Amino acid sequence: MPTAIRTADVFMFDRAVETMPRTELAALQLHRLKQTVERAYAKVAHVRRKLDAAGVAPERMKALGDIARLPFSTKADLRDNYPFGLFAVQREELLRLHASSGTTGKPTVVGYTRADLDVWSDVMARSLACMGARPGDVFHNAFGYGLFTGGLGFHYGAERLGLTTVPVSGGATERQVALIQDFGARILGATPSYALNIAEVAHSMNVDLHKLALRYGCFGAEPWSEAMRRDIEAKFGIKAQDVYGLSEIIGPGVACECHEGQSGLHVWEDHFYCEIINPDTTEVLPAGETGELVITTLTKQALPMLRYRTRDITRLVEEPCACGRTHRRMMRVMGRSDDMLIIRGVNVYPSQVEAFLVGFPGLAPHYQIVLTRDGPMDAMTIEVELAAPAPPDEPFVAKIAGDVRNHIKAMVGVTCEVVLKRPGEVPRSQGKAVRVKDMR
């Protein structure tokens, strides 16, 4: 197991890997890629059929660029092979199973061997150290536990790093505020929407978050914008950092921001190989261009994934980072290629709307986008909460609604209705926020 090391002013969990020269890292990736393709071909019938159909033999993987010959994997592959058809090990070798809720179809099931759980703990320990955590710190873990991978992923990574871990999960927000205060938490982990809920409840309890021990926040599992980051940092007095992952690949811990730079998320490339493709043509795009993120696992035993289409829109950055880590960075996810909203022929990402609403004078950072049908046409309504205390002056409220409506029209090209809610009327997140309510 790697040991935490301090080098100069930058604390790292595994310096030898995190600062590995690019040539050595590429050689390691190629070696592990060959092993992964051979393993998947030998152990997973579905993968073998896809590779045979594409005319790709594992022994033809001679260079990293050869990965482009491999067929893509998608969420449909997991659903079509539900529950255990994509595993490369016997079910008895699995120490843990996680699954999606299945609200949009069959659940997607993922599993882990003991070695997989060790890798997951290591990359999460790496991520937490990268985001400012130190052995002995108190980590308040408000990510959801259970079949959702967030809570347990952070939990085992925090313990691997040597943090005092508070497994509080979501909900009971007044109690959360009290525990953060009483236990002296230095790091908060939560979805960004739930962090704002915690801040709101703390304010109602007359708790000044700036006077607490909190210094860093680890936020992810849902889209959030730079505007929301600034809002969280202002309310808590912390550095708010982005963490990225998805259950199909491992869970949280695929990539994270460093607190030194806060300029893109370091992808742990010794375990995950990333490409950016054009989501329409599937053409691999050059470094720096924006497109859909595709990930291949390099060390997963139970569930090796070859060229998994994440549907997340981002770009990769190769320039050196101030922290000294050599792994490439992915920029904040801008949206998704499959849940992009199309309103009257116009492409709309919820993050575009959020970037405008968060921090707008007179508004609280709580909103929902409601989609309905007005005859043959789609209609979009934005329900957003007034900041407390809600002004009773109706002309003032009407002006805010008009300003929001006009700015959204100018920014994304869609006419929408704006409904201003009183403080507390927009449903609060107890985990992942439901930002879009599609009633079409």
Side-chain angles (χ1 to χ4, degrees), residues 86-353:
L86 288 187
F87 287 125
V89 298
Q90 295 298 312
R91 201 275 308 153
E92 292 79 8
E93 297 179 60
L94 300 174
L95 266 66
R96 191 190 307 164
L97 292 169
H98 285 276
S100 71
S101 62
T103 55
T104 57
K106 284 186 177 180
T108 55
V109 178
V110 298
Y112 304 80
T113 65
R114 186 177 302 280
D116 292 335
L117 292 176
D118 283 340
V119 167
W120 194 10
S121 297
D122 281 348
V123 294
M124 276 308 311
R126 235 189 252 182
S127 298
L128 285 160
C130 192
M131 292 184 284
R134 303 292 181 267
D137 286 345
V138 176
F139 173 60
H140 186 93
N141 189 7
F143 281 104
Y145 282 67
L147 289 177
F148 171 60
T149 55
L152 286 169
F154 269 92
H155 183 104
Y156 283 92
E159 291 188 340
R160 178 65 55 90
L161 183 58
L163 306 183
T164 302
T165 306
V166 184
V168 68
S169 193
T173 309
E174 288 190 0
R175 186 177 182 220
Q176 302 240 9
V177 174
L179 293 178
I180 291 171
Q181 186 175 31
D182 296 343
F183 291 175
R186 188 169 181 268
I187 306 101
L188 169 66
T191 60
S193 59
Y194 189 55
L196 287 173
N197 192 1
I198 291 173
E200 182 179 56
V201 171
H203 179 74
S204 71
M205 296 169 63
N206 295 316
V207 173
D208 186 348
L209 294 171
H210 287 246
K211 294 182 178 180
L212 305 186
L214 280 175
R215 293 295 178 269
Y216 299 100
C218 315
F219 305 111
E222 65 185 16
W224 60 309
S225 61
E226 284 298 314
M228 184 174 280
R229 185 211 295 270
R230 291 192 296 270
D231 197 30
I232 291 173
E233 290 185 333
K235 284 180 166 61
F236 282 89
I238 61 175
K239 279 192 175 183
Q241 293 151 108
D242 203 0
V243 61
Y244 177 80
L246 59 167
S247 298
E248 298 90 333
I249 298 302
I250 200 167
V254 174
C256 74
E257 286 183 319
C258 62
H259 70 91
E260 291 90 359
Q262 281 187 289
S263 178
L265 294 81
H266 290 278
V267 179
W268 303 127
E269 293 186 277
D270 53 323
H271 296 288
F272 313 107
Y273 185 82
C274 292
E275 305 167 86
I276 298 292
I277 65 168
N278 181 314
D280 298 320
T281 67
T282 71
E283 172 193 7
V284 178
L285 299 177
E289 291 198 18
T290 298
E292 180 184 334
L293 179 66
V294 172
I295 303 178
T296 297
T297 62
L298 300 178
T299 54
K300 284 281 291 296
Q301 288 189 348
L303 188 64
M305 297 300 295
L306 304 181
R307 303 193 81 198
Y308 184 77
R309 293 191 61 173
T310 68
R311 304 296 181 177
D312 289 324
I313 303 299
T314 184
R315 62 186 177 91
L316 297 176
V317 176
E318 297 187 342
E319 290 78 11
C321 181
C323 71
R325 293 175 176 87
T326 55
H327 296 236
R328 289 185 299 173
R329 286 164 286 151
M330 58 175 280
M331 302 310 290
R332 178 186 295 279
V333 172
M334 299 169 53
R336 288 179 58 83
S337 61
D338 61 350
D339 69 359
M340 175 180 66
L341 308 177
I342 303 178
I343 310 297
R344 299 181 184 178
V346 178
N347 297 341
V348 180
Y349 286 108
S351 57
Q352 291 176 294
V353 177

Side-chain angles (χ1 to χ4, degrees), residues 58-69:
E59 58 269 18
R60 294 179 61 188
M61 306 300 295
K62 303 295 185 182
L64 280 175
D66 292 338
I67 197 171
R69 299 176 182 175

Side-chain angles (χ1 to χ4, degrees), residues 355-434:
F356 171 71
L357 292 177
V358 176
F360 190 89
L363 296 181
H366 305 291
Y367 72 94
Q368 277 193 327
I369 299 171
V370 181
L371 304 179
T372 54
R373 190 82 68 183
D374 183 10
M377 303 291 289
D378 292 332
M380 182 170 76
T381 300
I382 297 174
E383 298 180 349
V384 60
E385 220 170 81
L386 289 162
D393 183 32
E394 290 187 7
F396 179 78
V397 171
K399 182 180 184 305
I400 292 180
D403 288 345
V404 171
R405 184 166 50 248
N406 293 337
H407 278 82
I408 295 295
K409 172 66 175 177
M411 183 175 64
V412 301
V414 173
T415 300
C416 67
E417 290 298 317
V418 177
V419 176
L420 299 182
K421 300 280 191 174
R422 293 184 178 276
E425 287 187 346
V426 172
R428 293 297 188 265
S429 166
Q430 298 297 320
K432 280 193 180 185
V434 180

